Amino acid sequence: MSGISAKRVRTRHFFEAKAAGTPISALTSYDALSASIFDEAGIDMLLVGDSAANVVLGRDTTLSITVDEMIVLAKAVTLAARRALVVVDLPFGSYEASPQQAVATSVQIMKETGAHAVKIEGGVERADTIRAIVDAGIPVCGHIGFTPQSEHALGGPVIQGRGSGADKLTRDARAVEAAGAFAVVLEMVPAEIAAQVTRDIEIATIGIGAGPGTDGQILVWQDAFGLNRGKTARFVRHYANLGDSLLDAARAYADDVSARSFPAAEESYE
């Protein structure tokens, strides 16, 4: 097992890992079984992402998932994780109206799930909101670069930080840091820019499609392990083909049922 050396990962360990040059591993998780496995594997951070709208609920975007739906998923992950830091996304519509709304949503999530932190999208424009949540005693992970909740405003899944956008990305990262976040996700950002931002700030950067120069990496587990059998982003590395394995297993089960070879005597009661 590599990564952060701790019996229970805390936000302070992210600062220590960055200072020591220790890479931080993170994966999404939305249920107790996957959370238990990833926790046992030594993954440092489990994100209950609003990407559940896509990979769990089958929706086209993340925008429709609700706080109540996120809470159900986050409860399961938090109950199963014994070591990893569990972070929960604030879903679209649950924090944009005001810092007060964001604090209320964050408090509800923390109280009802037992999670350890929340994640919020946005940079300079969300600094006051991040600060208000942190002031309420709740750790915050930021998220800049491509922010899926703003997909329509950004014109689709477009790489951020190119050209003049590099200055904006740097400003966003510094604003998130100054507001008190303990880490920030950099999504779909040129590798050179992500590495520079990582050098420029003191909080940990967690990359997804941001090259190898960030302090840590995160992927959606269904993409990385092949449960999602559709098209995945360029930045995804496939570590397994669980979708094909599950399909083969389901077909074998259906065949056994059709042939009346399941259940056999050893799988039946006398």
Side-chain angles (χ1 to χ4, degrees), residues 46-88:
L46 297 180
L47 172 66
V48 186
D50 58 2
S51 48
N54 311 120
V55 298
V56 176
L57 302 177
R59 300 169 187 170
D60 290 335
T61 73
T62 65
L63 300 181
S64 65
I65 199 164
T66 66
V67 172
D68 288 343
E69 288 170 330
M70 292 295 296
I71 284 173
V72 170
L73 302 174
K75 280 182 179 179
V77 172
T78 303
L79 284 170
R82 296 289 179 263
R83 174 186 171 276
L85 185 86
V86 178
V87 181
V88 182

Side-chain angles (χ1 to χ4, degrees), residues 4 14 64 66 85 110 121 142 162 176 191 228 247 267:
I4 293 173
F14 282 64
S64 65
T66 66
L85 185 86
M110 298 291 283
E121 294 186 4
R162 285 176 168 165
V176 168
N228 178 4
L247 177 62
E267 294 144 348

Side-chain angles (χ1 to χ4, degrees), residues 161-169 171:
R162 285 176 168 165
S164 60
D167 289 338
K168 180 183 185 306
L169 192 75
R171 290 195 302 272

Side-chain angles (χ1 to χ4, degrees), residues 48-268:
V48 186
D50 58 2
S51 48
N54 311 120
V55 298
V56 176
L57 302 177
R59 300 169 187 170
D60 290 335
T61 73
T62 65
L63 300 181
S64 65
I65 199 164
T66 66
V67 172
D68 288 343
E69 288 170 330
M70 292 295 296
I71 284 173
V72 170
L73 302 174
K75 280 182 179 179
V77 172
T78 303
L79 284 170
R82 296 289 179 263
R83 174 186 171 276
L85 185 86
V86 178
V87 181
V88 182
D89 265 337
L90 297 189
F92 178 74
S94 71
Y95 62 89
E96 294 89 343
S98 67
Q100 292 73 28
Q101 182 199 28
V103 170
T105 301
S106 300
V107 168
Q108 180 186 5
I109 287 173
M110 298 291 283
K111 284 175 69 70
E112 295 189 26
T113 70
H116 311 121
V118 298
K119 182 168 77 64
I120 183 171
E121 294 186 4
V124 171
E125 74 280 11
R126 297 291 175 222
D128 289 344
T129 300
I130 294 171
R131 187 174 294 107
I133 300 171
V134 172
D135 286 347
I138 299 170
V140 175
C141 178
H143 185 155
I144 62 174
F146 175 67
T147 47
Q149 292 176 12
S150 303
E151 177 178 353
H152 298 308
L154 294 173
V158 179
I159 296 171
Q160 303 295 306
R162 285 176 168 165
S164 60
D167 289 338
K168 180 183 185 306
L169 192 75
T170 299
R171 290 195 302 272
D172 283 340
R174 289 174 175 165
V176 168
E177 177 184 34
F182 72 90
V184 60
V185 171
L186 305 180
E187 181 166 358
M188 289 180 61
V189 174
E192 183 179 350
I193 303 303
Q196 183 60 54
V197 167
T198 299
R199 291 189 292 269
D200 285 347
I201 62 176
E202 295 183 5
I203 63 173
T205 59
I206 310 297
I208 178 166
T214 54
D215 297 307
Q217 300 292 334
I218 186 168
L219 287 173
V220 173
W221 84 260
Q222 289 91 337
D223 293 343
F225 303 149
L227 190 62
N228 178 4
R229 299 169 68 236
K231 184 179 179 181
T232 56
R234 170 181 172 176
F235 57 75
V236 175
R237 180 177 293 182
H238 296 105
Y239 288 88
N241 290 304
L242 299 185
D244 289 346
S245 297
L246 188 59
L247 177 62
D248 290 343
R251 282 173 172 165
Y253 168 72
D255 289 345
D256 286 354
V257 171
S258 296
R260 295 189 180 276
S261 63
F262 174 82
E266 60 269 24
E267 294 144 348
S268 303

